[in-house]
Amino acid sequence: MKQLMLVAAVAAALPGLALADGTSVEIYGAIGVMTERVEARGATDASKDQSARLRVSDMSSRIGFRGREDLGDGLWAIWQIEQATRVDDAASAAWASRNSFVGLKGGFGTVRLGRYDMPYKEIGGDLDVMTTAQFSPINGTYSRFEQRAGNLVQYESPAFGGVKLRLAYQPDENKGTLNQQTLDGAVEYAAGGLNLAAAVERRDDVRAVIDSGAAAGDRSTGYKLTAQYATGAWYVGGGLERIESKPNAGAKLRQDGWMLAATYLVAPATRLMASYSSVGELDGKAAAADYKANQASLGATYDFSKRTRGYLFYTRIDNSAAQKLNFSFGSLAGVAAGADPTSFGVGLRHKF
């Protein structure tokens, strides 16, 4: 531990260290905390409503180390170790809990081995205009199938005419009767301020996200499309998602969702943000309409400097009678079916 603290102290003093042999090492991260008022009222069983309360919450704080080594002939060795570091209550995750890998980068593209965001998660990243706090719909009411996976092999191609390909495979290291492997692929096109992308992720021998359970022959698949455009002070984007669960026995389930997002830079340091996402009926389930949900979020940021940003936000999830979707960050414990999680707060985040 003392050695780790010494390394961190040296890296903090030299945040971008370049060595003579073509090796570079960098320390980076972010610390963010918010104060918010939260509640979850309107439950189908009114006795399970959660009354309003104040809390102090982390805003996706992290610390990371990354570097590269010039191997010659345009080939680089690359590495990264990134750690979630909750500063509100010190309940941090295990070491290397975020994107952490070793790999090679060259004219052929980039190969990473370790723990990393699946291509399904990576595409349309700017759609998450509310990325650092509870008001983000990502992995809550939209892009619910995305994940950061361990034991991963990932390939990212160079861009050819603005088109880039991403592929990933996660084997089942405990393969037995079940083979719970994951396959993921995405294609992305970028030109000027336009970005279009599509992704498919398949998880074998498991029912995920809209169903639960695991048996041989089960399969869950997510499909995602995104479109984004940035020009001047404006950014607008949208996405579609379909999740299917095909159990070995029983009815197939399917649920569609969509999202819209926009930001507007009203002054050099001030930005307004808004997003709306919707989850449709759970086809194949009794009372399918009772599993619908919507989330609306409004926010504003103020940049005190290039590294320090203040936040003001409001978000509300409207769950139908049987649905109990929650915040993607800082979820409320024990949200009951039909309850509507709501949050209003202010925050401060500093990058280094």
Side-chain angles (χ1 to χ4, degrees):
M1 178 60 73
K2 290 182 179 180
Q3 292 177 334
L4 179 59
M5 293 175 65
L6 178 60
V7 170
V10 172
L14 300 170
L17 181 60
L19 306 178
D21 63 354
T23 299
S24 65
V25 178
E26 179 186 6
I27 183 173
Y28 66 95
I31 299 175
V33 180
M34 68 176 72
T35 300
E36 57 179 333
R37 177 187 182 276
V38 296
E39 64 179 9
R41 298 182 181 274
T44 304
D45 180 351
S47 68
K48 296 182 179 179
D49 281 356
Q50 296 187 29
S51 59
R53 62 188 184 275
L54 293 177
R55 67 177 186 177
V56 176
S57 303
D58 183 76
M59 296 176 68
S60 193
S61 299
R62 72 208 52 185
I63 186 169
F65 305 85
R66 61 189 170 204
R68 64 178 187 171
E69 179 187 11
D70 188 351
L71 303 178
D73 296 325
L75 183 64
W76 293 83
I78 57 175
W79 63 270
Q80 178 175 296
I81 299 175
E82 189 171 301
Q83 159 75 19
T85 54
R86 289 189 55 162
V87 298
D88 58 332
D89 59 11
S92 295
W95 182 250
S97 58
R98 296 181 59 85
N99 287 340
S100 302
F101 61 88
V102 65
L104 293 172
K105 183 175 183 178
F108 58 87
T110 303
V111 175
R112 299 181 181 92
L113 305 172
R115 177 176 175 81
Y116 206 76
D117 292 343
M118 282 289 197
Y120 191 100
K121 184 176 188 295
E122 286 190 288
I123 69 163
D126 290 340
L127 258 180
D128 192 7
V129 297
M130 311 286 187
T131 184
T132 57
Q134 277 75 337
F135 48 95
S136 170
I138 301 299
N139 207 23
T141 52
Y142 175 73
S143 196
R144 294 186 295 149
F145 208 73
E146 70 173 48
Q147 63 171 327
R148 177 178 296 124
N151 306 313
L152 189 70
V153 180
Q154 190 193 71
Y155 169 73
E156 179 179 333
S157 77
F160 297 102
V163 178
K164 180 182 291 188
L165 179 69
R166 293 186 175 95
L167 300 171
Y169 176 64
Q170 181 192 40
D172 183 353
E173 295 190 341
N174 300 306
K175 179 181 176 182
T177 304
L178 303 182
N179 182 17
Q180 294 178 312
Q181 63 183 353
T182 300
L183 300 93
D184 194 308
V187 60
E188 183 177 13
Y189 172 74
L194 178 66
N195 182 284
L196 304 173
V200 179
E201 179 172 316
R202 193 187 84 186
R203 305 179 197 175
D204 290 343
D205 290 347
V206 65
R207 285 167 277 153
V209 182
I210 59 173
D211 197 5
S212 61
D218 288 350
R219 178 175 293 175
S220 292
T221 308
Y223 306 88
K224 187 166 112 175
L225 299 172
T226 64
Q228 305 168 89
Y229 187 70
T231 177
W234 281 97
Y235 162 85
V236 293
L240 301 172
E241 181 177 41
R242 168 168 290 182
I243 301 172
E244 295 180 345
S245 178
K246 298 179 179 179
N248 184 37
K252 181 180 79 171
L253 300 180
R254 185 181 69 190
Q255 194 166 37
D256 295 338
W258 57 271
M259 175 183 172
L260 295 173
T263 68
Y264 180 65
L265 189 66
V266 296
T270 305
R271 186 181 301 273
L272 301 179
M273 307 175 295
S275 70
Y276 186 85
S277 53
S278 180
V279 176
E281 296 184 358
L282 184 50
D283 295 334
K285 192 85 168 180
D290 287 345
Y291 292 86
K292 297 167 66 175
N294 303 301
Q295 182 175 5
S297 299
L298 296 172
T301 62
Y302 179 79
D303 293 335
F304 295 97
S305 69
K306 291 183 179 180
R307 296 177 177 269
T308 303
R309 174 173 290 178
Y311 292 81
L312 174 68
F313 69 90
Y314 169 84
T315 189
R316 176 184 172 90
I317 299 175
D318 290 314
N319 283 316
S320 294
Q323 188 59 274
K324 45 186 175 182
L325 295 185
N326 208 331
F327 299 135
S328 54
F329 293 89
S331 57
L332 300 178
V335 169
D340 302 327
T342 305
S343 174
F344 172 77
V346 296
L348 184 67
R349 196 165 192 258
H350 175 78
K351 294 182 178 181
F352 58 90

